[in-house]
Amino acid sequence: MNNDELCNICRNYCRGFPEHLLLQMGKQQHNIPEDFLRKAGERIRELRIKAGYNSYETFALDHNLDRKQYWRMENGSNTTLRSLYKVMKLHKKSPKEFFSKGFDEL
């Protein structure tokens, strides 16, 4: 089985199991679609605003996050799994909850 087949199987399997997707992303190199990164950034921004923060800088500083890295995440840049996990935990979201909104059409 080559990497393309594995990625396709993984994506199909993970639609209902975001935790599995996160584990697979950490194990192998995936070609992550730009739409996925953009949606993740939009979701992170949405959660920050919902938490009462108008400024990404204030949120990052208040939560001991690198300001530039957090800005990149909100703007759909590729990020590490650790960084995404940390942000999900700050917002008290499981992977299933985080990916439950806006990712169905990908």
Side-chain angles (χ1 to χ4, degrees):
M1 183 178 293
N2 66 39
N3 284 342
D4 290 336
E5 290 172 309
L6 184 59
C7 288
N8 287 332
I9 290 169
C10 185
R11 277 192 212 112
N12 289 333
Y13 176 72
C14 292
R15 286 183 191 268
F17 303 97
E19 291 89 351
H20 177 74
L21 175 61
L22 290 175
L23 288 171
Q24 292 302 320
M25 286 170 60
K27 289 180 187 173
Q28 332 202 24
Q29 198 67 359
H30 282 276
N31 290 328
I32 302 172
E34 290 299 316
D35 283 350
F36 179 87
L37 296 172
R38 183 179 48 76
K39 293 270 186 194
E42 289 171 1
R43 182 76 167 127
I44 291 167
R45 182 178 294 115
E46 172 191 331
L47 292 170
R48 170 185 50 86
I49 292 169
K50 192 173 182 179
Y53 286 87
N54 292 324
S55 165
Y56 80 89
E57 290 176 314
T58 304
F59 181 85
L61 292 171
D62 284 357
H63 294 90
N64 296 320
L65 300 169
D66 180 85
R67 182 182 53 82
K68 284 177 144 179
Q69 175 63 20
Y70 188 78
W71 179 86
R72 287 184 194 114
M73 289 176 73
E74 280 198 1
N75 285 281
S77 292
N78 201 358
T79 188
T80 66
L81 190 54
R82 275 191 182 91
S83 296
L84 179 58
Y85 182 79
K86 185 174 183 179
V87 169
M88 287 189 304
K89 289 301 169 191
L90 287 172
H91 290 293
K92 298 179 176 139
K93 299 290 181 191
S94 69
K96 187 174 185 174
E97 292 169 316
F98 181 83
F99 291 111
S100 68
K101 186 174 178 185
F103 292 86
D104 290 339
E105 63 276 358
L106 294 177

